[in-house]
Amino acid sequence: MTKRQIPKVRDLAPLMQFKKPSLDFKKNRLAKAQTVYDLRRIAQRRTPKAPFDYTEGAAEAEISLGRARQAFEDIEFSPSILRDVSKVSTGWDVLGAPVAQPFGIAPTGFTRMMHTEGEIAGAHAAARHGIPFSLSTMGTTSIEDVKAANPLGRNWFQLYMWKDRDRSMALVERAAAAGFDTLLVTVDVPVAGARLRDKRNGFSIPPQLTLSTIANALPRPWWWYDFLTTEPLSFASLDRWSGTVGELLDSMFDPTVDFADLRWIRDQWPGKVVVKGIQSVDDAKKVAEIGVDGIVLSNHGGRQLDRAPIPFHLLPEVVREVGSEYEIHLDTGIMSGADVVAAVALGARFTLLGRAYLYGLMAGGEDGVDRMIEIVSGQVARTMRLLGVNSLEELEPRHVTQLTRLAPR
Ligand SMILES: Cc1cc2nc3c(=O)[nH]c(=O)nc-3n(C[C@H](O)[C@H](O)[C@H](O)COP(=O)(O)O)c2cc1C
């Protein structure tokens, strides 16, 4: 029989931890998020369906994205014990300059549609945390405004080669003049991927007010309040457009771009050039031979070719073939700092976060992006400590085994 007693006030007092309730609802909401998936849930509650689906969705049956995330889950870490991990350093040099974390913000189009603070929120947060911010050709904030938001930090400009070459190169010149240090040339969009959610939702730029969007807006009044009471959506680099995103992309992109064009672009840019969207070992080698400074293994977050190669699976062979001194970056499917650490252990110098950033943005604007960076940075440092390493240089392939759920026949 358990012996019981009547509790005394003296014993209860230390258990009572009533804090003064804070009325900063956004702060409370974000503080509760422990993972990027938690931010995603908040984002979904607060963002109308069409822009949320535009962000979250991928091409066709969305198999590329699902597999890429699964590949990160299907690893086994191999820790070393009894190391002094009281100090851990998560920074190193990327493309010749320091970064505080081995991840940065990926270029994303139409960002102010997800949350009206858009790129400025991302650039401010990147500045605060010492990580690079990438502005897309399809961005909704000008090159100069991004520079003003992140004046001392690193800004990268992502280039899509348009049919109108002069306009593309005018952008490149503006980015160089504004002091952007890296040009990301995206090469996996000869035509737009089929984003079926957008077609089903009738998603267009700008969003249309139909009966169903109005019904969907009712529980999300703040998004609409922000959207309607701030500067109308305009693009970093193009004039107004009305139509679906796919139609816009197809009207602009030049499907004839080839390796000769890449060489030409490389010669126009005074800083570092990185080619984004490499999906085979052969192309990685070819592009490295052209003399660009790095590549991003990426399938565009699964938004282009469905059932595309999983970038994280390509990584070890590309490192073997291209050499571990060459800068190999990676994206697609990263949702935690442990994913980032796994990529670095297998030879990636840097990683880019697309949706993780946008979930943070939709969950709480600039504060939400801050929270995302805080969460992912915390996971990076914790994973490194638990693996028994103090620096990114100490991460090695032996720390990660890729389990084979999917293997070629
Ligand atoms: C909403 C959205 C818009 C994007 N727009 C661009 C773009 O304009 N240019 C580009 O090179 N990549 C774009 N991407 C791809 C990202 O740069 C990145 O490759 C991808 O998001 C990485 O996958 P993740 O979302 O799983 O992190 C976009 C991705 C998303 C989710």
Side-chain angles (χ1 to χ4, degrees):
M1 272 281 276
T2 309
K3 221 175 126 206
R4 297 191 187 273
Q5 60 180 22
I6 296 178
K8 298 188 190 77
V9 175
R10 197 179 59 228
D11 299 334
L12 285 178
L15 301 178
M16 293 200 227
Q17 303 269 341
F18 300 122
K19 286 195 200 117
K20 207 170 128 217
S22 157
L23 291 182
D24 189 338
F25 297 118
K26 180 161 76 169
K27 215 165 158 196
N28 295 345
R29 191 167 70 227
L30 293 171
K32 280 197 198 129
Q34 298 303 312
T35 65
V36 172
Y37 283 104
D38 289 347
L39 291 173
R40 180 198 166 279
R41 267 190 293 278
I42 301 171
Q44 189 169 23
R45 276 206 307 271
R46 304 187 64 79
T47 315
K49 182 169 167 53
F52 182 83
D53 274 356
Y54 168 69
T55 308
E56 161 135 309
E60 314 273 0
E62 308 192 351
I63 292 169
S64 292
L65 179 63
R67 284 184 183 164
R69 286 192 181 155
Q70 189 68 54
F72 280 113
E73 280 164 28
D74 288 348
I75 60 161
E76 189 174 274
F77 280 122
S78 197
S80 301
I81 51 154
L82 295 175
R83 306 291 200 277
D84 174 0
V85 288
S86 51
K87 291 199 182 71
V88 70
S89 154
T90 58
W92 59 3
D93 277 6
V94 169
L95 298 165
V99 292
Q101 296 290 335
F103 66 87
I105 294 183
T108 60
F110 311 107
T111 315
R112 285 196 56 227
M113 190 125 54
M114 291 132 204
H115 188 288
T116 184
E117 291 177 19
E119 285 88 355
I120 296 295
H124 276 157
R128 236 185 326 273
H129 295 270
I131 63 172
F133 175 80
S134 313
L135 174 66
S136 160
T137 299
M138 312 298 283
T140 41
T141 303
S142 76
I143 289 169
E144 293 74 18
D145 287 350
V146 166
K147 176 68 184 176
N150 182 20
L152 305 174
R154 300 185 69 182
N155 294 300
W156 297 358
F157 185 71
Q158 177 267 321
L159 177 72
Y160 279 130
M161 217 41 199
W162 293 345
K163 288 177 182 145
D164 185 343
R165 296 272 160 124
D166 291 345
R167 283 186 71 187
S168 320
M169 293 328 282
L171 282 176
V172 168
E173 273 165 34
R174 267 172 65 192
F180 281 47
D181 66 71
T182 296
L183 187 68
L184 293 170
V185 185
T186 298
V187 293
D188 54 12
V189 187
V191 295
R195 321 261 170 85
L196 302 185
R197 293 197 205 196
D198 296 350
K199 289 193 182 150
R200 290 180 182 128
N201 289 334
F203 177 58
S204 62
I205 314 268
Q208 305 292 310
L209 283 173
T210 61
L211 276 181
S212 80
T213 48
I214 289 170
N216 187 259
L218 293 178
R220 298 169 176 84
W222 291 114
W223 187 94
W224 284 97
Y225 174 72
D226 279 346
F227 185 75
L228 297 172
T229 59
T230 56
E231 207 182 309
L233 204 67
S234 65
F235 295 95
S237 40
L238 53 128
D239 304 327
R240 289 194 73 73
W241 173 264
S242 70
T244 68
V245 176
E247 285 161 0
L248 170 63
L249 298 188
D250 278 336
S251 76
M252 289 175 54
F253 294 146
D254 181 352
T256 70
V257 172
D258 61 14
F259 281 91
D261 295 301
L262 180 60
R263 279 193 201 92
W264 182 77
I265 294 167
R266 180 205 56 197
D267 295 339
Q268 310 299 307
W269 179 257
K272 305 286 184 185
V273 174
V274 172
V275 176
K276 174 172 180 283
I278 299 291
Q279 299 180 68
S280 77
V281 178
D282 272 357
D283 280 345
K285 279 166 49 183
K286 257 190 180 155
V287 165
E289 277 159 20
I290 285 182
V292 295
D293 302 283
I295 53 174
V296 188
L297 298 178
S298 164
N299 65 33
H300 211 109
R303 296 164 76 81
Q304 287 298 111
L305 177 67
D306 201 15
R307 298 182 242 192
I310 300 167
F312 183 59
H313 281 178
L314 280 177
L315 179 63
E317 201 186 339
V318 170
V319 174
R320 246 191 329 272
E321 292 293 321
V322 179
S324 55
E325 292 308 301
Y326 193 66
E327 290 229 1
I328 299 164
H329 300 188
L330 182 134
D331 76 19
T332 302
I334 295 177
M335 291 291 278
S336 89
D339 302 343
V340 172
V341 169
V344 173
L346 292 183
R349 190 78 194 170
F350 198 63
T351 57
L352 291 170
L353 274 51
R355 291 183 186 79
Y357 148 59
L358 297 172
Y359 290 142
L361 181 69
M362 292 187 288
E366 188 173 325
D367 293 334
V369 183
D370 255 336
R371 182 74 187 127
M372 181 286 287
I373 300 174
E374 228 172 71
I375 290 171
V376 176
S377 305
Q379 291 165 332
V380 167
R382 187 166 59 249
T383 307
M384 288 172 67
R385 286 194 155 108
L386 289 171
L387 285 176
V389 304
N390 305 100
S391 67
L392 298 174
E393 286 84 354
E394 288 171 53
L395 286 169
E396 291 176 3
R398 73 178 169 84
H399 287 115
V400 176
T401 306
Q402 291 181 320
L403 307 173
T404 52
R405 184 190 293 253
L406 295 168
R409 282 159 64 90

